[in-house]
């Protein structure tokens, strides 16, 4: 729970960003349902946790680097699209809600929202190329409007926030390069 002082500061910062606030209100108020992935089964008797980190095998990582020309944002778009397609394939859900990390190129810059919701509509008839294009457009737009405290919007819209969970999505993807210190990415999820 935040202090009243912190909450007051966030409200002031939100009031100074009406363009960003309007963008997020339009996106989230229209649909804020989480994908509600089944979490009652863990592979190989593994413990379920709020966060799972997976590293690509070296050859797959090099292939991803080559296909995306080493661009972190392009990798984020590709992997977010792939994750959404997999969620659709395995759950049948057509309205996918996932999160992606906000980005800043300045290590001292404080982000008002570390995680941004990405809502994609996927059906069996939609080719992956279309999912990529939709994902790219929505991720670019969300990054353009990322400087907004989304937690205030969740409260304003009456979206229940479970302790330690994001109010807008259950699963997120965060592309991190171990040797890359030029981009600051959030921790968690």
């Amino acid at each position: 729970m935040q202090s009243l002082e912190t909450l007051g500061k966030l409200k002031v910062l939100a009031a100074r960003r009406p363009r960003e606030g309007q963008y997020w209100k339009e996106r989230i108020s229209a649909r804020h349902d989480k994908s509600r992935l089944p979490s009652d089964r863990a592979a190989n008797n593994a413990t379920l946790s709020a966060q799972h980190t997976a590293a690509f095998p070296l050859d797959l990582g090099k292939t991803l680097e080559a296909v995306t020309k080493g661009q972190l944002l392009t990798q984020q778009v590709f992997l977010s699209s792939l994750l959404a397609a997999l969620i659709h394939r395995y759950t049948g859900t057509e309205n996918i809600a996932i999160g992606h990390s906000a980005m800043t190129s300045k290590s001292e810059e404080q982000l008002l929202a570390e995680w941004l919701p990405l809502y994609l509509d996927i059906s069996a008839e939609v080719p992956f190329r279309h999912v990529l294009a939709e994902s790219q457009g929505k991720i670019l737009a969300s990054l353009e409007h990322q400087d907004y405290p989304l937690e205030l919007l969740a409260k304003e819209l009456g979206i229940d926030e479970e302790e330690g969970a994001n109010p807008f999505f259950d699963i997120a993807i965060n592309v991190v390069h171990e040797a890359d210190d030029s981009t600051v990415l959030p921790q968690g999820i």
Side-chain angles (χ1 to χ4, degrees):
M1 183 168 200
Q2 294 180 335
S3 70
L4 288 176
E5 181 181 353
T6 302
L7 194 57
K9 287 179 182 179
L10 286 176
K11 287 182 178 182
V12 168
L13 291 171
R16 292 180 181 164
R17 293 160 174 81
R19 183 175 145 264
E20 287 79 6
Q22 185 62 33
Y23 172 86
W24 288 113
K25 284 176 188 171
E26 289 172 3
R27 297 312 166 284
I28 293 171
S29 63
R31 65 182 261 212
H32 60 268
D33 291 336
K34 294 182 178 185
S35 293
R36 296 292 177 204
L37 301 173
S39 60
D40 59 344
R41 288 172 270 158
N44 301 327
N45 296 324
T47 314
L48 294 173
S49 68
Q51 181 175 347
H52 177 72
T53 303
F56 284 124
L58 186 57
D59 59 334
L60 183 57
K62 286 183 179 182
T63 302
L64 181 62
E65 285 282 321
V67 168
T68 60
K69 298 181 179 153
Q71 298 295 312
L72 184 64
L73 183 56
T74 304
Q75 292 167 15
Q76 182 75 43
V77 168
F78 178 77
L79 293 172
S80 295
S81 301
L82 183 60
L83 176 62
L86 287 171
I87 291 170
H88 168 68
R89 169 103 178 171
Y90 290 110
T91 66
T93 302
E94 293 189 347
N95 301 314
I96 308 294
I98 60 174
H100 68 93
S101 57
M103 297 181 182
T104 179
S105 58
K106 302 173 189 168
S107 59
E108 69 276 355
E109 188 174 336
Q110 177 66 37
L111 296 169
L112 292 178
E114 290 186 336
W115 293 97
L116 307 172
L118 173 63
Y119 299 110
L120 297 170
D121 296 312
I122 300 177
S123 67
E125 300 81 35
V126 174
F128 185 68
R129 196 173 284 190
H130 176 77
V131 177
L132 277 170
E134 182 182 3
S135 181
Q136 179 184 26
K138 289 183 176 185
I139 287 175
L140 289 173
S142 68
L143 290 172
E144 182 181 333
H145 298 89
Q146 72 181 356
D147 197 24
Y148 191 81
L150 292 175
E151 61 192 79
L152 288 181
L153 188 54
K155 287 179 178 34
E156 182 181 319
L157 296 174
I159 299 172
D160 292 330
E161 191 171 350
E162 299 168 25
E163 184 65 34
N166 190 289
F168 307 113
F169 49 84
D170 288 325
I171 188 169
I173 191 159
N174 187 8
V175 179
V176 177
H177 291 255
E178 293 294 325
D180 186 3
D181 294 330
S182 64
T183 301
V184 177
L185 297 170
Q187 299 298 311
I189 298 205

